[in-house]
Amino acid sequence: MMRIRPVEDGDFRLFRRYEPGAPLSACIGLDAHSGEPIRVAFDAAGGGNIMIVGRSREAALGICMVALLDLATQITSTPGQREIYTTPPFSIMDFVSTEESRVFADAAMSLPLPVKLERDTISEMTSLGDFQYALLQRDRHPEAPRHAKFLFICGFHAAHGMRSRGSYAPDTTTPNAARLARILRDGTAHSLFAVVWCNTFANLDLTRPEGLADFDHVIVLDGAGDPPPDLPAEPGENAWYINRRTRSATPITPLALPPESWSDAVIRSFV
């Protein structure tokens, strides 16, 4: 069984204050050997999209929650940083509406920052339109500020309105699938990043023909099924973090979805 470590009071140390000149970054878990936090930098030059694959909702939404609070810590800890956002820095598309995803979404909506939430997104998916518009504007005006924006997609396997193959797939490519494909392909160069959770590699293949293309960082949890040939096999005791740019694979211990009281304490520290 894959290890998942509960979040503890001392885990506030996982979060990093913003460092001027450095990209925003997020903790995605602990190194299985050293216990030290593993961080992903969201860098326009170096990429940053994250794909989480596995059936463990506790681990997948725990990774999303810790990453979200870590990013919010950096945005709110710098004078003037939060004021640069005229549109929400975080958008969440919750396709599953499980107990775990609701805990994650409710914490996000408690942040002292604007957050856009779409639940049970079957047809609207306006967040994709928002990011498509931001991509267009940043492409047309390269001199404009490039403050980072983040799209969290919870339950990509249930995004039937974007399916490309299988029984849920429409006869033609859906506009939303095309929007997401462009956001993933071109967004990182404009500081528009995505953190996506899909339960299996098979469902990822059904929903997105490009697979892991445009994802520099992949986290493999238990129950993910057969991975592509260039990734480690399904985890035993440890999950895997794969940096596809450096071709490195690191065993990690994901953090569980934090309890409400812990998340509330973190959020109160932002005010």
Side-chain angles (χ1 to χ4, degrees), residues 59-142:
L61 274 301
I63 292 168
C64 290
M65 176 83 91
V66 170
L68 176 83
L69 294 176
D70 196 357
L71 291 165
T73 298
Q74 293 161 71
I75 291 173
T76 59
S77 65
T78 304
Q81 180 76 4
R82 71 175 81 182
E83 285 77 14
I84 68 175
Y85 287 95
T86 56
T87 57
F90 303 115
S91 294
I92 297 170
M93 302 176 72
D94 179 7
F95 289 98
V96 289
S97 286
T98 62
E99 180 180 352
E100 294 87 351
S101 70
R102 288 192 293 272
V103 170
F104 168 60
D106 289 348
M109 297 306 291
S110 299
L111 293 172
L113 294 164
V115 176
K116 180 169 183 176
L117 171 62
E118 294 185 87
R119 281 195 168 114
D120 293 323
T121 0
I122 301 300
S123 58
E124 294 298 326
M125 303 192 200
T126 58
S127 292
L128 297 180
D130 295 345
F131 271 70
Q132 182 184 39
Y133 179 76
L135 179 59
L136 179 63
Q137 291 301 304
R138 295 183 183 198
D139 192 39
R140 287 179 174 175
H141 306 284

